[in-house]
Amino acid sequence: MYKLSDDFLWGGAVAAHQLEGAWNVGGKGVSVADVMTGAKHGQEREITDGVVEGKHYPNHDGIDHYHHYKEDIALFAEMGFKCFRTSIAWTRIFPNGDESAPNEEGLQFYDDLFDECLKHNIEPVVTLSHFELPLHIVEEYGGFRNRQVIDLFVRFATACFARYKDKVKYWMTFNEINNQADYERDFTLFTNSGIKIKEGEDREEIMHQAAHYELVASAKAVQIGHAINPDFEIGCMVNFQPIYPLNSKPEDVLQAQKAMQKRYYFSDVHVFGEYPEYMKAFFKRKNFDLDITDNDLEILKAGKVDYVGFSYYKSATIQHQDENTYYDYNESHDLVENPHLDRSDWDWEIDPIGLRVSMNWLYDRYRIPLFIVENGFGAIDEVGEDGVVHDDYRIEYLGQHIQEMEKAIVEDGVKCLGYTTWGCIDLVSAGTGELRKRYGFIYVDKHDDGSGSLERKPKDSFYWYKEVIDSQGENLKL
């Protein structure tokens, strides 16, 4: 296939709460991830009222990356990683989220982590808020439904920018900020924004208000980050899945277009610094009484992002329903199965060409660099009699997606900074809390019942990805 430029950032991606463990070590406070139990495919994780004795919280232990990070980074270096995307757990730096001064022990942990990356010539790529909101902010402030939380996030971001200004160049503010477009799910509202819906509230209106405060917080952080280090590259991060019409029926085409607007206006605001007219009309029609001030709008214009980070796992398909007069989008009800695509064990569409579609859509729209910061295949991996995981299915999935990415870059002219596979080492699944849904190139002996030695073992995909990186994407073995 194509050979990409030498400065292309190949690597892998994780989130602090899904692998670090050590949930109450080093002065760390309780986060929203720490009160979500384990679940399974088709079952929502339970969000408990604080940490309840007797409940199983898989994020508490993760894969104990907190104590194994040197070993893990050495394995990433063996694969040839150019970058490593992770997040900074807000509750390691500000345990409750509203302290006036940061926790030095937490700051030092990430100093050590980033130093270890740089020792191996691995560029850290850091997300500030990756589903790790302090639980105290939920309980005392109501999460991002409260304007005060803007300043709490900015304080956290500023502390990180200032501390790691000479170690981290690439940043993102809010992970998959648009997941909450699926506002019917308690999980997305809670993990994105720390929102617990009260009886009688309009879930959709509450979501848009929280998203506005996050967009303002992001824009303020971008301005501060650039002031601290003008060389910072600060991006947004969206979960991207192109939404196809089920067929060429004009109503289905329009429904898909309107769905894309509702799911991706978040990145419109991040990139363009203003709300698109279609969202202004939508807010007006729905009679949403949103707290959006003139000063907010000025902040949005001044805090535009430098690149668009995005995750890509699958596409989606939609069909218009006759009763949906305004072509509104309700993600929990409106999507249909695509008859042309296979699906994973977790019922996710497998659509490599959809990545190329996504890259073209995003670059055509925004004309700033893209960064694929998540793409991966969750599967049940079995250790063979020879002690090795032979994950040809993962190699096939990733290889096909990388091939389409390369076509978008070389044939379509899309500017893309890099590619980081999701869960480059096995970790806790965000959606289900499972460890058996494995994504990694590195098998970790840890299981859903909490058992396991934590031993790390390279899978077949480990050596395949090493060759991909060594050849700058030319040797995909498809």
Side-chain angles (χ1 to χ4, degrees):
M1 203 52 216
Y2 293 112
K3 185 174 184 178
L4 301 184
S5 63
D6 290 342
D7 60 354
F8 189 80
L9 293 171
W10 297 95
V14 300
H17 70 95
Q18 290 171 256
L19 85 165
E20 281 182 6
W23 74 285
N24 58 359
V25 172
K28 181 183 176 298
V30 182
S31 79
V32 294
D34 293 324
V35 295
M36 292 193 296
T37 64
K40 59 184 178 181
H41 176 48
Q43 175 187 331
E44 288 280 343
R45 302 182 71 175
E46 181 187 359
I47 301 168
T48 59
D49 187 14
V51 176
V52 178
E53 187 175 353
K55 296 281 188 180
H56 175 53
Y57 301 100
N59 298 70
H60 285 192
D61 298 323
I63 59 165
D64 198 24
H65 176 72
Y66 187 85
H67 295 107
H68 290 258
Y69 71 89
K70 290 185 178 181
E71 175 187 357
D72 295 341
I73 291 168
L75 287 167
F76 301 155
E78 186 179 340
M79 273 188 282
F81 277 20
K82 308 289 182 64
C83 71
F84 173 50
R85 181 202 171 203
T86 189
S87 61
I88 294 175
W90 190 337
T91 52
R92 287 205 191 280
I93 311 305
F94 291 94
N96 287 321
D98 61 357
E99 292 89 349
S100 58
N103 169 37
E104 177 58 31
E105 196 168 351
L107 289 169
Q108 187 60 50
F109 169 72
Y110 291 106
D111 264 321
D112 296 341
L113 176 67
F114 300 149
D115 286 344
E116 195 68 20
C117 288
L118 295 171
K119 184 176 82 175
H120 291 281
N121 297 312
I122 295 173
E123 187 93 45
V125 178
V126 176
T127 313
L128 289 166
S129 183
H130 193 138
F131 306 160
E132 293 162 312
L133 197 70
L135 185 64
H136 176 75
I137 286 180
V138 176
E139 295 173 338
E140 296 298 319
Y141 297 84
F144 264 101
R145 69 167 68 227
N146 189 328
R147 178 177 280 275
Q148 288 177 271
V149 180
I150 294 174
D151 290 336
L152 299 181
F153 173 80
V154 170
R155 182 184 304 167
F156 163 59
T158 302
C160 294
F161 288 149
R163 179 73 170 226
Y164 310 118
K165 65 181 184 296
D166 299 320
K167 299 181 180 183
V168 179
K169 176 181 178 181
Y170 295 96
W171 300 86
M172 285 171 283
T173 52
F174 289 92
N175 181 70
E176 293 184 333
I177 188 173
N178 64 321
N179 271 4
Q180 56 199 323
D182 191 6
Y183 55 85
E184 291 287 352
R185 291 184 65 197
D186 290 339
F187 172 81
T188 53
L189 293 179
F190 188 69
T191 54
N192 273 91
S193 303
I195 297 294
K196 290 184 176 180
I197 295 296
K198 303 169 187 175
E199 187 176 352
E201 287 188 320
D202 186 319
R203 302 175 72 93
E204 192 174 18
E205 182 174 10
I206 294 293
M207 179 274 288
H208 286 299
Q209 183 64 78
H212 172 71
Y213 289 152
E214 287 158 4
L215 290 164
V216 172
S218 173
K220 292 183 78 169
V222 168
Q223 293 177 72
I224 291 169
H226 285 153
I228 289 173
N229 185 343
D231 292 331
F232 279 169
E233 295 288 332
I234 308 174
C236 61
M237 200 294 203
V238 293
N239 178 347
F240 201 87
Q241 51 181 9
I243 303 174
Y244 306 142
L246 181 62
N247 55 51
S248 58
K249 185 179 177 182
E251 289 86 349
D252 286 1
V253 174
L254 180 58
Q255 182 66 70
Q257 183 181 51
K258 300 302 289 185
M260 291 287 284
Q261 289 177 346
K262 298 302 189 303
R263 210 169 193 281
Y264 302 111
Y265 86 87
F266 305 83
S267 45
D268 284 356
V269 180
H270 274 303
V271 175
F272 299 132
E274 60 185 14
Y275 280 90
E277 294 301 324
Y278 61 78
M279 288 308 297
K280 295 177 186 177
F282 173 73
F283 294 154
K284 183 178 180 180
R285 173 169 63 80
K286 297 285 282 190
N287 293 313
F288 287 164
D289 184 23
L290 300 181
D291 174 28
I292 300 176
T293 68
D294 290 341
N295 187 53
D296 290 344
L297 299 178
E298 291 178 6
I299 291 169
L300 294 176
K301 286 181 181 177
K304 300 175 189 177
V305 295
D306 300 312
Y307 66 91
V308 175
F310 71 101
S311 58
Y312 177 81
Y313 295 96
K314 59 189 177 74
S315 58
T317 304
I318 199 165
Q319 182 178 29
H320 175 65
Q321 306 299 322
D322 290 340
E323 66 274 13
N324 189 358
T325 306
Y326 292 104
Y327 293 82
D328 286 335
Y329 177 57
N330 186 321
E331 189 163 311
S332 294
H333 298 96
D334 294 345
L335 301 182
V336 297
E337 186 169 329
N338 189 324
H340 304 290
L341 298 174
D342 293 329
R343 305 172 83 87
S344 73
D345 291 338
W346 273 263
D347 207 30
W348 288 16
E349 294 87 349
I350 299 173
D351 181 12
I353 293 175
L355 177 56
R356 186 177 180 183
V357 171
S358 301
M359 293 175 71
N360 275 276
W361 191 95
L362 286 163
Y363 196 63
D364 285 351
R365 192 177 188 90
Y366 298 129
R367 302 299 174 93
I368 62 174
L370 309 181
F371 200 152
I372 304 167
V373 294
E374 291 184 28
N375 175 234
F377 188 66
I380 299 172
D381 292 339
E382 300 289 347
V383 179
E385 293 182 2
D386 57 358
V388 179
V389 173
H390 301 292
D391 55 342
D392 292 345
Y393 42 86
R394 181 168 293 109
I395 292 170
E396 180 182 14
Y397 175 96
L398 293 174
Q400 290 176 349
H401 282 74
I402 291 171
Q403 184 177 61
E404 295 301 326
M405 173 190 73
E406 292 176 351
K407 290 177 183 176
I409 293 170
V410 178
E411 297 181 17
D412 305 333
V414 174
K415 186 173 182 181
C416 184
L417 299 172
Y419 172 84
T420 60
T421 66
W422 175 251
C424 48
I425 183 170
D426 290 346
L427 39 60
V428 175
S429 168
T432 64
E434 293 172 290
L435 279 150
R436 76 185 190 115
K437 185 183 184 184
R438 298 178 182 272
Y439 285 89
F441 301 118
I442 301 162
Y443 182 86
V444 180
D445 183 32
K446 184 70 186 292
H447 308 283
D448 287 335
D449 63 2
S451 65
S453 67
L454 295 176
E455 181 185 3
R456 274 76 162 145
K457 292 182 179 179
K459 306 174 189 178
D460 282 353
S461 57
F462 178 102
Y463 302 102
W464 170 81
Y465 195 49
K466 175 178 171 57
E467 282 195 51
V468 171
I469 297 174
D470 285 346
S471 66
Q472 288 300 121
E474 192 171 22
N475 189 4
L476 298 179
K477 293 185 175 178
L478 294 178

